[in-house]
Amino acid sequence: MIGLSGRLRAALVIGGQGIRARKLRTFLSMVSLFLGVLAVVVVQAGAEVANRAVLADVELSQGKDGTRQIYLSPEGRNVPVALDVVGGRADAVAVTSVRAVIGEPGVKPVNEGGGPVDEVGGYSGPRMTCDRSGCHEVDDGTAGAPPGQAIELQLVGLTGDIRPFRPFRPARGGWLDFTGEPSLAPRLVLNQHAAEAFTRYHVPAEMRVDGATANPTPRFVGVVDDGGYQPTAYVRADELMNWVPVARVGGDASGPGLQVLLAPTADEVEHTLRARLVAAGTPADSIHVNTVSTVERRSTELALLRWIFLGMAALVLLIGVAGILNVGLATVGERVEEFALRRAVGTPRLLLAGIVLAETLLTGLLTAALAIGVGVVGLQLALAAFGSRYPALEGTAFPWQAGVAGVVAGLVAGVLGGLVPALRAARIPIAAVMRA
C-alpha cells in the first residue's frame, strides 16, 4: 500500500510538471474538452432547476410531497366536526370555499361564473350544477340583472396557516394573522387574478357571500401567487363564519365541501378526526385519505428527459475525448526518448502509464472546474435577467448535483482520452533511448 501510494504521488507530481512544461498542448486539450463537460454541467443543472420549478408550481396547487388530504362532503355534521377538530392547530388546516361577489348589488359581475377578467369579453358563463337529471344554471339572484361593476371570486376559508402545506409566494402586502379575535370586517388576501380584477375595475367595497346573513365590508391585506386559474381570496374561517352559518360554510349538497390538509406526522389528528366523523354519522368507508406524491408520479418523466439530454451531452463530450486523445498520442510520440530513458533507469511500466494518465486526469479536472465556474456564473446571470418573470426560480442556487456531474465527466474524459496514450507509453522499449 505504501509503494502504491508513492507511485501514485510520483505519477501526479510528474504529470503536473508535464502539464506545466506543455502549457499550449494542455490548453488545446482543455478547449476540446470544455464544451463537452460544460454540456454535462448545463444539462444536469437545467434538469435540477426545471425539476424544482415544476415541483414548486405543483406544490402551490396540490401541496407539498407527503401532505395528507381528506375531502369531506358538506352533508351532515362533517363541516362543523372538522372545523372543531383542526381549528387552531399548526399541523392541520381545514379549507372550505364559498362564492362571493364584491361590488355593486343587484348586478351581474363582469366575470360571471368566477373566471379571469382577461377572458374574451370578461365573461366566463353563468354558474352551472349537474345532478342525475342533467346540468342546469344555478339561480344566484342575478338572473335578468344588468351587468355592473362587481367581481365574482372564490372565497376560501382557512382555519390556520396553509402555507406549510401549499407554499404561496408573497407578491405584496401581508398574510392572514390567525392570532387574536376574528374581525367583523373580513380580512382578505387576494391571489394575482383577483388583484388584477380589482386593479382593472374599481368597485364598491360590499361583499355578498352565498348563505350570508348580511353583506360585510372586506379589507384587502395582501396579494399572493397561489398558482390558481381564477380570482380567489383567502380569509380566516372564523371571520367568514361571523357572517355565514357553519352549516353553509361548506356549501350545499352539490357544493365543494371541505378539504383537510394534514402534515405527515399528524397521525393523532387524523385518527381523532376520523373517530369524530364516524361518531357523527359519517360512513367510515366514505372517509378517504390521499397522500400527495408528486415526485413519485413525475420521476419517470423527468428522468427520461434528463437521460435524453445527458445522451446529447455525452456525444459532445466524446468529441472532446477524441481531441484529448489526439493531443495525448502526439505528446507521447514526442517523449519517446524520455520514457525509454526512464525505463532504462528502472521506472516500472505501470508508473509510466500512470504519468501519462495523471496528465489527462489533471487536465480533465481543471476543465471540470472551469466548466462548473462558468455554469455557476451563467446561472446567476440568468436568474438576474429572467428571475422576475419566473417567480418559481427565486432563490435558486447552483445545484451540487451539477458540480458532481461535471467532476465525474472530467475524470471519465481524462481516463478515456489518456488510456491509449498511457498504454503506448508503457510499451516503449528501452532500446528506443539509443534512437537519438
Side-chain angles (χ1 to χ4, degrees):
M1 181 64 68
I2 296 177
L4 180 61
S5 300
R7 290 181 181 180
L8 177 61
R9 184 167 56 252
L12 292 175
V13 171
I14 299 173
Q17 292 174 347
I19 289 177
R20 186 173 59 182
R22 284 170 288 276
K23 298 183 179 63
L24 180 59
R25 289 185 181 272
T26 302
F27 174 74
L28 294 176
S29 298
M30 292 179 64
V31 169
S32 64
L33 193 58
F34 174 75
L35 290 180
V37 178
L38 181 61
V40 173
V41 172
V42 170
V43 168
Q44 186 67 29
E48 292 297 330
V49 172
N51 188 17
R52 294 177 187 179
V54 169
L55 292 180
D57 288 337
V58 174
E59 287 176 350
L60 289 180
S61 57
Q62 298 182 12
K64 292 183 177 180
D65 254 39
T67 299
R68 298 174 64 79
Q69 302 174 331
I70 302 177
Y71 292 93
L72 301 173
S73 70
E75 300 173 347
R77 292 185 48 79
N78 286 350
V79 173
V81 168
L83 293 177
D84 181 58
V85 172
V86 305
R89 299 193 63 96
D91 55 355
V93 59
V95 183
T96 187
S97 62
V98 294
R99 171 182 173 270
V101 177
I102 300 178
E104 295 178 342
V107 299
K108 287 185 177 181
V110 295
N111 62 328
E112 185 180 8
V117 295
D118 57 358
E119 291 184 356
V120 178
Y123 177 82
S124 58
R127 296 177 65 203
M128 303 293 292
T129 185
C130 298
D131 51 29
R132 295 180 179 178
S133 62
C135 296
H136 53 275
E137 183 177 342
V138 176
D139 184 10
D140 55 6
T142 61
Q149 295 294 305
I151 305 295
E152 181 177 342
L153 48 79
Q154 182 184 31
L155 189 60
V156 178
L158 305 173
T159 60
D161 194 351
I162 196 176
R163 293 177 298 175
F165 307 96
R166 295 173 56 189
F168 296 157
R169 293 188 284 263
R172 56 183 180 272
W175 178 246
L176 299 175
D177 182 6
F178 290 91
T179 61
E181 295 298 321
S183 172
L184 291 177
R187 290 164 290 187
L188 306 185
V189 174
L190 308 176
N191 71 350
Q192 292 182 324
H193 288 291
E196 179 184 355
F198 288 107
T199 301
R200 182 178 301 184
Y201 299 96
H202 299 283
V203 301
E206 179 180 345
M207 182 168 67
R208 300 181 296 284
V209 183
D210 287 353
T213 57
N215 296 337
T217 301
R219 292 182 294 160
F220 300 157
V221 297
V223 178
V224 296
D225 177 13
D226 63 351
Y229 60 89
Q230 67 180 99
T232 303
Y234 298 89
V235 63
R236 283 177 50 166
D238 50 4
E239 293 185 356
L240 178 61
M241 288 185 291
N242 281 334
W243 304 92
V244 181
V246 177
R248 298 296 302 273
V249 168
D252 52 25
S254 61
L258 182 137
Q259 178 189 23
V260 179
L261 302 178
L262 302 165
T265 57
D267 295 331
E268 180 184 352
V269 183
E270 181 182 335
H271 294 324
T272 302
L273 177 60
R274 187 184 294 272
R276 290 278 302 273
L277 290 172
V278 172
T282 302
D285 56 0
S286 67
I287 305 174
H288 302 289
V289 181
N290 174 49
T291 301
V292 178
S293 55
T294 305
V295 174
E296 181 180 351
R297 292 198 308 270
R298 292 180 174 263
S299 59
T300 303
E301 175 187 351
L302 294 173
L304 178 61
L305 291 176
R306 179 178 300 181
W307 282 112
I308 290 175
F309 285 105
L310 279 177
M312 299 171 62
L315 293 177
V316 181
L317 185 63
L318 287 177
I319 298 175
V321 170
I324 199 174
L325 174 62
N326 289 332
V327 174
L329 290 174
T331 302
V332 170
E334 292 180 356
R335 300 172 66 184
V336 170
E337 290 81 4
E338 173 192 343
F339 291 139
L341 181 59
R342 290 183 181 275
R343 285 281 295 119
V345 298
T347 302
R349 293 181 183 273
L350 184 61
L351 181 56
L352 289 180
I355 292 172
V356 177
L357 196 58
E359 290 187 14
T360 58
L361 285 175
L362 291 174
T363 301
L365 286 176
L366 290 175
T367 306
L370 180 60
I372 293 171
V374 172
V376 172
V377 174
L379 179 61
Q380 296 302 318
L381 292 176
L383 292 176
F386 306 105
S388 59
R389 302 181 185 178
Y390 304 98
L393 299 180
E394 291 183 1
T396 300
F398 185 79
W400 62 268
Q401 296 91 335
V404 173
V407 173
V408 171
L411 291 176
V412 170
V415 171
L416 294 179
L419 188 59
V420 174
L423 294 176
R424 178 167 293 185
R427 294 176 179 175
I428 294 176
I430 297 177
V433 74
M434 304 301 296
R435 191 170 62 183

